[in-house]
Amino acid sequence: MTNKRLIVLTGPSGVGKGTLVGSLLQRHPELCLSVSATTRSPRPGEIHGKNYYFVDQQRFQKMIAADELLEWAEFATNYYGTPKAPVEKLLAEGKFVLLEIELQGARQVRKTFPNALQIFILPPSGEELERRIRGRAQDSEEAISRRLQRARDEIAAKNEFDIQIVNDDLETALAEIEKAIFSVDK
Ligand code: ADP
Ligand code: 5GP
């Protein structure tokens, strides 16, 4: 299956993916965000069914076994995955569907949807990435160091993606993403 309306957004934790996606969704009602399932605990303010489907390990394993996930990965000791059915339904309706997922998941999607638009978001620097993760103040010290290590691995794979966008100035990054998404054939 191929589809240019499927957009994969990947980049290290803390780079600003959630912030960028929030603005994109506000500005473009035709964009839909796929809600992932995760075994991670909710952060303050996160809502089940909106930010994630928060599930336990057992439920997650069942989703894998029943082939209900388009892709899934382990990230920083938790599991994350994209429920397949809603994505297929939205694409069939002609919507633009955004997946905000990490590297291993992006690699799996590349196999199923080779024509998906794959965007990698970079931080202006490693120091700024660490500042942003710490500024969010929602992760333990251990979780922060796991995320920083993973960030280095993810950034090393940036050239696997169709385009790389630096999230330094938010508005500039948003404009670049919009250009990439909406210059695609409709
Ligand atoms: P991610 O979803 O990639 O983990 P978040 O969207 O949670 O990242 O952003 C991490 C932190 O960085 C947040 O505090 C957010 O406000 C901040 N941030 C995001 N984009 C920018 C930017 N362009 N400049 C400065 N801070 C930013
Ligand atoms: P967080 O715990 O900060 O919300 O997310 C951690 C990482 O998991 C981020 O890089 C995020 O993009 C990624 N992620 C979120 N949902 C999914 C998903 O469904 N699949 C995969 N592979 N990664 C995901």
Side-chain angles (χ1 to χ4, degrees), residues 12-19 100 128 132 136 167-170:
S13 177
V15 75
K17 299 181 300 297
T19 309
E100 195 249 276
E128 173 62 13
R132 287 185 193 173
R136 192 164 60 185
N167 181 23
D168 187 356
D169 173 63
L170 189 74

Side-chain angles (χ1 to χ4, degrees), residues 99-114:
L99 306 186
E100 195 249 276
I101 61 177
E102 54 66 70
L103 177 62
Q104 294 176 60
R107 285 177 172 155
Q108 292 169 49
V109 173
R110 216 172 282 153
K111 290 188 183 148
T112 343
F113 292 91

Side-chain angles (χ1 to χ4, degrees), residues 1-7 87-88 90-92 94-97 112-117 184-185:
M1 262 176 111
T2 59
N3 204 311
K4 277 283 183 195
R5 286 174 184 253
L6 185 63
I7 299 130
V87 171
E88 289 180 344
L90 289 166
L91 288 176
K95 303 265 173 49
F96 286 84
V97 185
T112 343
F113 292 91
N115 275 358
L117 176 64
V184 151
D185 287 345

Side-chain angles (χ1 to χ4, degrees), residues 104-173:
Q104 294 176 60
R107 285 177 172 155
Q108 292 169 49
V109 173
R110 216 172 282 153
K111 290 188 183 148
T112 343
F113 292 91
N115 275 358
L117 176 64
Q118 293 226 349
I119 303 177
F120 193 88
I121 309 294
L122 284 160
S125 67
E127 293 74 30
E128 173 62 13
L129 180 65
E130 185 162 352
R131 246 193 310 279
R132 287 185 193 173
I133 293 180
R134 291 188 184 283
R136 192 164 60 185
Q138 287 178 340
D139 300 302
S140 67
E141 194 57 38
E142 199 197 340
I144 289 172
S145 63
R146 274 198 304 266
R147 279 159 192 269
L148 286 171
Q149 177 53 47
R150 184 74 169 233
R152 285 185 273 276
D153 298 342
E154 295 215 330
I155 290 170
K158 66 177 191 220
N159 289 331
E160 292 177 18
F161 289 73
D162 297 320
I163 52 171
Q164 297 77 26
I165 289 171
V166 179
N167 181 23
D168 187 356
D169 173 63
L170 189 74
E171 284 302 322
T172 307

Side-chain angles (χ1 to χ4, degrees), residues 172-183:
T172 307
L174 278 169
E176 288 177 22
I177 296 173
E178 285 169 330
K179 188 168 161 235
I181 296 177
F182 298 113
S183 66

Side-chain angles (χ1 to χ4, degrees), residues 9-14 17 34-38 40-41 43 46 51-52 60 69 71-76 78-83 99-106 108 136 139 147 150 154:
L9 210 63
T10 300
S13 177
K17 299 181 300 297
S34 156
V35 179
S36 298
T38 183
R40 166 167 83 60
S41 306
R43 295 187 181 124
E46 284 186 329
N51 303 91
Y52 281 106
F60 199 92
L69 299 176
E71 60 72 36
W72 64 272
E74 189 181 350
F75 182 94
N78 291 301
Y79 289 95
Y80 295 81
T82 304
L99 306 186
E100 195 249 276
I101 61 177
E102 54 66 70
L103 177 62
Q104 294 176 60
Q108 292 169 49
R136 192 164 60 185
D139 300 302
R147 279 159 192 269
R150 184 74 169 233
E154 295 215 330

